[in-house]
């Protein structure tokens, strides 16, 4: 119900004095009661029903599609109470949020996406009583402030806490899997999974908690309970959602470097976004771990202050190595290589019946249903294409997996392993595999993974990895457990901190470009 100005003289006085601590002296202070009585005007009458109707109109015309936008609309459509405005107008919480939003430009984000200028203008209009006489009334201003403050707040809090791009969604929908060229049946498009890192996502609980912080902050700050205010205040919540990575701070500082070219600026912004993704596990939580960074084609094995570094070969652009987090469980010596079906179709099917081809490469053909070997002279091309028969390379010298493979649980059947093609490590572009990671110094990595460096066991591992013939059975070892298990992180950073600086690597899989194209609407 509309209420005239005379009943709200105290409220208008509050509006004139709000947040004046950090602003210039307000020219409206000290005006007489007669002045306010002469200003009786419907433009100054606060009406909650009118504000609701104006906000409904804002929502109908709002094309925002982010998760934060959807939660904003859901809250108000369910008639959630006003969060930022009351009969006194807008209090200091709006200034608290605005102080954070005004710094988004320093992070490379676009203030327009967070309505920074709009909020600044409406707060100024409200506090300087720039209302009526040809301008909008107070309800229009309050409706915009209520809606935009909530929308920008949820956008900012969700983005800083979880990232503005969802890697699980994006990176698992990049590469479609080619259908079987010998299959005439049209099947749904399938995608190659490329990201299997457990990360936190913004869910209903987070957005509910975020909204509760606004309410709690208003209550506790007015009650004089300093301890409660410290734990529930909006300031504490906005501080808590910030990325915690020291590398993020390095990148943010580098972003302020004068004269940055566009390519470097994009690279910084994309890697800052990676730092916002909150992984369930991360290297910082461990003193001993192995990290593979694909763009650098390098592996780093860290044990407290000791670092083992080596070159790697990884998946090509067509058969990319997936990003994942896991734990090394065991090492197998002289493993068999079960040839992937894609290689059988592309490189082997046309050799069906050629006994010399399979024998010279130490391959044998097995019936998948029984596991028994099949005479290669009897195997036809159609048998290999059918998928009922597999090709396996025996373990030992010349095996494509080399002499040792490092096993860890994952959903892609990829591993770290030795290789019989040592020349790969001399190349600059080492994207050469079908997804597995080839390591330059496998024996050193095996030794690193072992907690106890038992000399006899190390001798048996070395013999098993180097002997042409494994006839001395007492010197051979087949499998070694990694106990305790050692964490593994396969990552993708095109900028990465190294001692004394920051290394710059090429975007070998084009992931930077993909992430940037989605991040652009925020920039």
């Amino acid at each position: 119900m509309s209420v005239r100005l005379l009943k709200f003289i105290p409220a208008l006085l509050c509006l004139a004095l709000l947040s004046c601590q950090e602003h210039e002296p307000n020219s409206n202070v000290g005006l007489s009661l007669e002045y306010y009585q002469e200003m009786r005007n419907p433009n100054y009458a606060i009406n909650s029903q009118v504000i609701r109707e104006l906000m409904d109109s804002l929502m109908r015309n709002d094309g925002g599609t982010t998760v934060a936008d959807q939660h904003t609309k859901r809250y108000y459509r369910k008639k959630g109470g006003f969060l930022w405005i009351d009969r006194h107008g807008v209090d200091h919480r709006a200034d608290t949020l605005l102080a954070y939003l005004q710094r988004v430009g320093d992070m490379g984000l676009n203030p327009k996406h967070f309505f920074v200028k709009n909020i600044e203008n409406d707060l100024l209009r409200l506090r300087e009583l720039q209302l009526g006489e040809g301008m909008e009334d107070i309800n229009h201003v309050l409706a915009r402030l209520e809606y935009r403050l909530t929308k920008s707040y949820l956008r900012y809090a969700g983005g800083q806490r979880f990232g503005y791009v969802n890697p699980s969604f994006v990176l698992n929908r990049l590469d479609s899997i080619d259908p079987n060229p010998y299959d005439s049946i049209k099947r749904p498009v399938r995608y190659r999974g490329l990201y299997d890192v457990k990360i936190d996502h913004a869910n209903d609980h987070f957005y509910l908690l975020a909204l509760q912080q606004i309410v709690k902050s208003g209550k506790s700050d007015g009650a004089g309970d300093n301890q409660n205010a410290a734990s529930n205040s909006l300031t504490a919540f906005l501080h808590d959602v910030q990325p915690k990575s020291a590398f993020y701070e390095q990148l943010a500082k580098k972003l302020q470097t004068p004269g940055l070219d566009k390519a470097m600026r994009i690279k910084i912004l994309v890697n800052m976004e990676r730092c916002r993704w909150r992984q369930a596990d991360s290297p910082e939580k461990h003193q001993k771990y192995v990290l593979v960074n694909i763009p650098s084609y390098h592996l780093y094995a860290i044990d407290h202050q000791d670092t083992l570094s080596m070159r790697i070969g990884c998946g090509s652009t067509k058969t990319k190595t997936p990003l994942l987090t896991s734990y090394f469980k065991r090492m197998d010596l002289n493993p068999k290589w079960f040839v992937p079906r894609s290689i059988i179709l592309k490189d082997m099917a046309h050799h069906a019946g050629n006994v010399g081809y399979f024998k010279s490469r130490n391959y044998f053909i097995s019936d998948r249903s029984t596991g028994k070997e099949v005479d290669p002279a009897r195997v036809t091309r159609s048998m290999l294409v059918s998928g009922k028969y597999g090709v396996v390379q025996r373990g030992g010298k010349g095996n494509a997996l080399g002499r040792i493979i490092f096993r860890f649980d994952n959903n892609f059947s990829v591993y770290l392993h030795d290789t019989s093609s040592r020349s790969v490590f001399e190349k600059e572009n080492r994207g050469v595999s079908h997804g597995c990671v080839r390591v330059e110094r496998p024996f050193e990595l095996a030794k690193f993974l072992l907690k106890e460096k038992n000399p006899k066991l190390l001798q048996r591992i070395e013999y098993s990895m180097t002997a042409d013939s494994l006839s001395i059975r007492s010197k051979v070892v087949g499998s070694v457990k990694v106990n305790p298990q050692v964490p593994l992180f396969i990552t993708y950073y095109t900028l990465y901190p190294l001692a004394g600086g920051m290394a710059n690597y090429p975007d070998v899989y084009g992931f930077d470009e993909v992430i940037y194209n989605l991040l652009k609407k925020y920039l």
Side-chain angles (χ1 to χ4, degrees):
M1 187 174 72
S2 179
V3 181
R4 292 297 181 182
L5 177 66
L6 190 57
K7 289 184 65 178
F8 277 83
I9 289 176
L12 288 172
L13 287 170
C14 289
L15 290 174
L17 295 170
L18 285 176
S19 303
C20 62
Q21 296 91 338
E22 299 180 4
H23 297 276
E24 295 180 2
N26 196 310
S27 59
N28 295 302
V29 175
L31 295 177
S32 66
L33 178 62
E34 288 73 20
Y35 176 84
Y36 286 99
Q37 289 175 330
E38 293 172 1
M39 286 177 59
R40 294 181 184 180
N41 191 304
N43 290 307
Y44 291 88
I46 300 176
N47 187 313
S48 62
Q49 183 60 38
V50 172
I51 293 173
R52 286 282 184 186
E53 292 171 358
L54 290 169
M55 289 176 63
D56 287 341
S57 177
L58 287 172
M59 285 188 282
R60 285 194 299 271
N61 294 292
D62 184 1
T65 58
T66 69
V67 175
D69 299 343
Q70 294 168 10
H71 278 274
T72 302
K73 295 174 186 176
R74 183 188 304 172
Y75 173 78
Y76 288 115
R77 282 171 180 161
K78 289 184 176 180
K79 304 305 178 185
F82 294 143
L83 297 170
W84 308 90
I85 65 175
D86 59 21
R87 63 189 181 87
H88 299 297
V90 181
D91 65 22
H92 64 92
R93 289 172 297 172
D95 298 291
T96 298
L97 174 61
L98 187 59
Y100 278 87
L101 298 181
Q102 287 169 332
R103 298 198 291 266
V104 297
D106 294 337
M107 301 183 298
L109 302 175
N110 190 341
K112 287 184 178 180
H113 182 75
F114 302 93
F115 312 105
V116 175
K117 199 66 179 176
N118 302 99
I119 293 171
E120 288 175 343
N121 290 339
D122 277 341
L123 283 175
L124 182 66
R125 185 174 301 166
L126 189 65
R127 288 165 176 168
E128 294 191 355
L129 301 178
Q130 298 175 13
L131 305 164
E133 298 182 6
M135 294 181 285
E136 294 173 309
D137 67 23
I138 194 170
N139 294 307
H140 281 80
V141 176
L142 289 175
R144 281 201 306 266
L145 279 171
E146 175 68 26
Y147 188 64
R148 285 173 174 167
L149 283 167
T150 300
K151 185 174 177 178
S152 60
Y153 167 65
L154 293 185
R155 281 184 172 186
Y156 178 83
Q160 289 300 103
R161 175 61 177 81
F162 302 101
Y164 296 92
V165 176
N166 182 343
S168 301
F169 181 85
V170 174
L171 298 182
N172 286 326
R173 287 166 176 79
L174 284 183
D175 291 1
S176 59
I177 298 176
D178 295 333
N180 183 346
Y182 305 102
D183 189 349
S184 60
I185 300 175
K186 290 186 177 181
R187 303 183 186 278
V189 175
R190 294 184 299 139
Y191 293 95
R192 191 185 311 278
L194 293 173
Y195 191 86
D196 192 22
V197 179
K198 291 182 179 180
I199 60 173
D200 294 338
H201 293 285
N203 53 24
D204 291 352
H205 175 73
F206 170 78
Y207 287 109
L208 177 62
L209 177 65
L211 295 172
Q212 289 173 344
Q213 296 307 308
I214 307 173
V215 178
K216 288 181 179 180
S217 179
K219 290 179 179 178
S220 62
D221 290 350
D225 184 347
N226 293 331
Q227 184 175 359
N228 192 40
S231 61
N232 293 323
S233 73
L234 188 62
T235 302
F237 181 75
L238 289 170
H239 174 77
D240 186 61
V241 299
Q242 302 304 318
K244 301 296 187 281
S245 165
F247 183 41
Y248 178 87
E249 297 300 329
Q250 286 182 255
L251 290 167
K253 185 177 180 180
K254 189 173 180 63
L255 188 64
Q256 306 308 313
T257 304
L260 278 179
D261 61 32
K262 182 179 179 181
M264 177 54 69
R265 183 176 178 80
I266 289 173
K267 188 166 281 194
I268 293 171
L269 291 171
V270 168
N271 284 282
M272 285 178 70
E273 174 64 10
R274 290 188 176 105
C275 291
R276 294 188 184 102
W277 301 339
R278 299 293 179 93
Q279 299 181 12
D281 198 3
S282 62
E284 293 79 13
K285 297 179 180 180
H286 303 276
Q287 293 181 322
K288 182 175 181 177
Y289 61 90
V290 173
L291 185 143
V292 171
N293 188 36
I294 291 172
S296 66
Y297 294 128
H298 261 78
L299 176 151
Y300 305 94
I302 312 295
D303 188 357
H304 294 77
Q305 301 302 316
D306 296 331
T307 301
L308 171 66
S309 173
M310 66 185 73
R311 296 183 175 191
I312 62 163
C314 58
S316 68
T317 54
K318 288 187 177 181
T319 52
K320 301 176 178 68
T321 297
L323 311 185
L324 58 87
T325 300
S326 189
Y327 281 76
F328 289 104
K329 297 180 70 176
R330 73 177 194 272
M331 302 174 280
D332 293 339
L333 283 297
N334 296 296
K336 293 178 181 178
W337 180 42
F338 294 84
V339 181
R341 179 165 164 71
S342 59
I343 297 178
I344 293 175
L345 293 174
K346 182 181 178 182
D347 300 329
M348 296 182 175
H350 61 281
H351 289 290
N354 184 344
V355 176
Y357 171 84
F358 290 96
K359 187 175 181 180
S360 64
R361 291 163 176 78
N362 216 11
Y363 293 144
F364 67 89
I365 299 172
S366 67
D367 185 326
R368 292 184 185 274
S369 62
T370 65
K372 294 182 179 180
E373 290 191 31
V374 180
D375 182 357
R378 295 179 46 247
V379 175
T380 64
R381 182 176 179 277
S382 61
M383 290 170 66
L384 289 179
V385 168
S386 71
K388 295 179 180 180
Y389 297 85
V391 179
V392 183
Q393 188 179 38
R394 292 182 173 86
K397 187 176 180 180
N399 184 281
L401 299 178
R403 307 299 291 269
I404 187 170
I405 187 169
F406 303 90
R407 307 262 186 199
F408 48 89
D409 291 339
N410 68 94
N411 295 316
F412 309 100
S413 297
V414 298
Y415 306 98
L416 273 64
H417 62 80
D418 183 19
T419 178
S420 57
S421 303
R422 307 297 301 173
S423 60
V424 66
F425 301 113
E426 299 172 6
K427 298 178 180 179
E428 183 176 349
N429 181 350
R430 297 191 287 279
V432 294
S433 78
H434 285 79
C436 286
V437 177
R438 305 176 186 179
V439 296
E440 181 184 25
R441 300 161 63 190
F443 179 71
E444 284 80 357
L445 180 59
K447 186 164 59 174
F448 170 86
L449 293 176
L450 295 174
K451 181 181 180 181
E452 303 296 334
K453 318 299 182 186
N454 185 301
K456 290 185 178 180
L457 177 58
L458 289 173
Q459 287 174 6
R460 292 178 67 194
I461 292 174
E462 187 172 24
Y463 174 82
S464 300
M465 291 180 61
T466 57
D468 291 340
S469 172
L470 303 176
S471 57
I472 307 176
R473 303 308 299 172
S474 61
K475 291 187 176 183
V476 176
V477 60
S479 184
V480 179
K481 284 187 176 182
V482 178
N483 188 19
Q485 296 181 7
V486 176
L488 166 68
F489 303 92
I490 300 182
T491 63
Y492 194 99
Y493 284 94
T494 49
L495 290 174
Y496 202 76
L498 293 177
M502 188 179 295
N504 184 351
Y505 304 115
D507 182 19
V508 294
Y509 286 168
F511 288 173
D512 276 12
E513 182 180 359
V514 171
I515 295 170
Y516 177 71
N517 286 336
L518 292 169
L519 197 60
K520 272 195 298 190
K521 62 183 178 182
Y522 301 98
L523 304 179

